[in-house]
Amino acid sequence: MTDKAELETIEAEFARAIADAMDEQTLDAVRVAALGKKGRISEMMKGLGKMSPDERRDMGPLLNGLKERIGEALTARKDALQEAALSVRLASEKIDVTLPLRETALEAGRIHPLSQVWDEVVAIFADMGFAVENGPDIETDHYNFTALNFPEGHPAREMHDTFYFDPKADGSRALLRTHTSPVQVRTMEQGKPPFRFICPGRTYRSDSDQTHTPQFHQIEGLVIDETTHMGHLKWTLEEFLAAFFEVDGVELRMRPSYFPFTEPSMEVDVRCARLGNEIRIGEGDDWLEILGCGMVHPNVLKAVGLDPDKYQGFAFGIGLDRIAMLKYGIPDLRAFFEADLRWLKHYGFAALDVPTLAGGLTS
Ligand code: DAH
């Protein structure tokens, strides 16, 4: 037999258990213990049937009231727990929209100065109507030397510090091309004049110091038709150098030189000013050697089956690494190949700054 005082104790016990429940699972256990099928309050409700009508009249409302208040307390606590859980979750998932965005790989990455200069040179010559041609890095003696009018045993061959592969059974030796000039021969063999193209590419020589690396880069240029002469050569180089160094004009000086595949052959200097480590192209009283060029030798034309009495033109060769160092003030060529990220961050270019003549090569 339950009395009023006992009901108050039970209510106080459940009220405390509800208040103490720190998560929904614990709270549900309290609900089951109070109002579940075999819960304390449910059992007492079942006992009403066995009571006398008088007792039932007293206990009925008391028990119903208790059931209702505990039910309400459970609901209120459940709401509070859910709200608290939501606040914790919201706090943990908070996004500070005022934080700057993290750089994407595209923004953080850098284009190597050599790739940049390669693209700049292609953009300039493409604007002048030059095509871009390619050839293999592994060459034969024929394309690297013989077809370019290097006679057998001529000292010019020795000067190239060639990397040779082991001789084949027939005694021939493949080599790593020492210059991009073999692409002249290969391209002329494949096509018909007129020719007007450049070939940027990798080249190799057994040489290493501050301004030489065993692998380096050149751009070959070739124009062959029936009328091209040295005046065109000079104009082309002036236009190229002014555009490349982004100055209004350059002054060139041509010195007689020797290359087996050109006659006459020239080395070209550009007027510059030296201010400490800095070199300014197009001003001052100094001269800087910048490239080699000449009128294509009749023997080279003959080697590709062209009649030298009908066809003529010019060729030039530029050291890509060298002009990159000059333009961007890079003192040591070897750093190009060291893959040092700090160096690349300093000298590299943003990925989307694609050089175009209209947009400015490097702006
Ligand atoms: N092939 C030469 C070298 O590597 C560079 C060169 C000079 C290329 C004069 C040319 C040229 O086409 O006309 O030393």
Side-chain angles (χ1 to χ4, degrees):
M1 177 55 211
T2 28
D3 60 19
K4 210 174 155 191
E6 201 185 337
L7 285 187
E8 276 168 11
T9 315
I10 292 170
E11 181 165 0
E13 267 171 28
F14 279 126
R16 195 172 329 113
I18 289 168
D20 286 350
M22 295 316 282
D23 55 64
E24 287 193 59
Q25 222 179 328
T26 315
L27 185 67
D28 203 53
V30 179
R31 181 188 62 78
V32 172
L35 306 176
K37 251 192 209 155
K38 293 191 173 154
R40 187 97 184 260
I41 297 171
S42 310
E43 292 292 343
M44 288 192 293
M45 300 284 282
K46 280 181 215 157
L48 280 175
K50 290 173 203 142
M51 290 179 189
S52 66
D54 280 355
E55 279 174 333
R56 201 178 305 132
R57 199 182 328 109
D58 284 349
M59 287 307 288
L62 285 178
L63 276 173
N64 272 330
L66 173 63
K67 184 182 165 191
E68 212 165 284
R69 284 192 301 281
I70 294 297
E72 280 166 7
L74 281 165
T75 310
R77 183 70 187 146
K78 190 169 173 179
D79 287 351
L81 285 175
Q82 277 177 348
E83 207 163 298
L86 184 64
S87 312
V88 169
R89 197 170 140 207
L90 285 179
S92 75
E93 290 177 4
K94 188 170 155 194
I95 295 170
D96 183 350
V97 291
T98 65
L99 276 177
L101 282 179
R102 228 175 277 148
E103 274 185 324
T104 64
L106 192 63
E107 290 154 337
R110 282 288 169 271
I111 300 293
H112 195 287
L114 259 179
S115 305
Q116 170 78 16
V117 164
W118 182 305
D119 289 349
E120 288 175 21
V121 171
V122 168
I124 296 167
F125 279 108
D127 190 63
M128 291 199 261
F130 281 70
V132 176
E133 299 290 350
N134 285 300
D137 288 20
I138 298 176
E139 265 301 1
T140 62
D141 192 78
H142 172 76
Y143 284 110
N144 199 81
F145 293 124
T146 312
L148 286 163
N149 195 37
F150 284 76
E152 295 284 347
H154 192 279
R157 289 194 183 216
E158 307 305 313
M159 285 165 61
H160 274 222
D161 299 312
T162 312
F163 286 116
Y164 285 99
F165 289 80
D166 288 341
K168 295 184 193 148
D170 65 4
S172 68
R173 282 188 299 175
L175 53 87
L176 290 173
R177 68 177 176 194
T178 58
H179 51 174
T180 42
S181 304
V183 182
Q184 291 185 18
V185 180
R186 286 183 176 275
T187 308
M188 284 196 283
E189 271 182 357
Q190 300 287 315
K192 284 202 182 85
F195 295 103
R196 195 201 286 159
F197 63 85
I198 58 162
C199 165
R202 293 197 178 93
T203 45
Y204 308 81
R205 288 185 201 185
S206 179
D207 202 355
S208 184
D209 59 33
Q210 194 176 344
T211 52
H212 296 88
T213 47
Q215 192 254 298
F216 57 106
H217 303 82
Q218 287 189 342
I219 318 146
E220 194 71 18
L222 186 77
V223 175
I224 295 289
D225 56 25
E226 296 179 30
T227 55
T228 288
H229 54 67
M230 265 181 57
H232 298 129
L233 168 60
K234 187 160 185 262
W235 180 87
T236 304
L237 295 175
E238 280 168 355
E239 285 297 301
F240 164 68
L241 291 169
F244 179 75
F245 288 108
E246 299 178 61
V247 291
D248 289 337
V250 293
E251 196 184 328
L252 300 187
R253 184 172 79 173
M254 288 178 154
R255 283 179 290 110
S257 183
Y258 173 76
F259 303 107
F261 38 89
T262 44
E263 180 58 36
S265 302
M266 284 133 326
E267 251 157 322
V268 176
D269 300 337
V270 62
R271 185 184 283 281
C272 72
R274 287 173 211 263
L275 309 148
N277 279 338
E278 195 196 340
I279 293 180
R280 290 218 191 121
I281 306 290
E283 52 185 277
D285 294 319
D286 254 327
W287 295 94
L288 183 74
E289 184 188 324
I290 203 122
L291 58 92
C293 63
M295 298 305 290
V296 175
H297 197 289
N299 287 350
V300 176
L301 296 171
K302 278 188 215 155
V304 298
L306 291 181
D307 178 1
D309 290 329
K310 187 169 180 200
Y311 295 106
Q312 62 182 47
F314 62 76
F316 56 86
I318 309 174
L320 205 58
D321 315 79
R322 180 167 160 74
I323 60 170
M325 289 168 77
L326 288 171
K327 180 166 180 179
Y328 294 113
I330 300 168
D332 193 323
L333 176 60
R334 290 167 294 198
F336 278 167
F337 300 87
E338 279 168 359
D340 184 330
L341 279 178
R342 294 162 301 180
W343 183 87
L344 196 55
K345 264 206 148 42
H346 181 76
Y347 286 110
F349 293 82
L352 295 177
D353 283 351
V354 180
T356 62
L357 284 180
L361 288 180
T362 51
S363 65

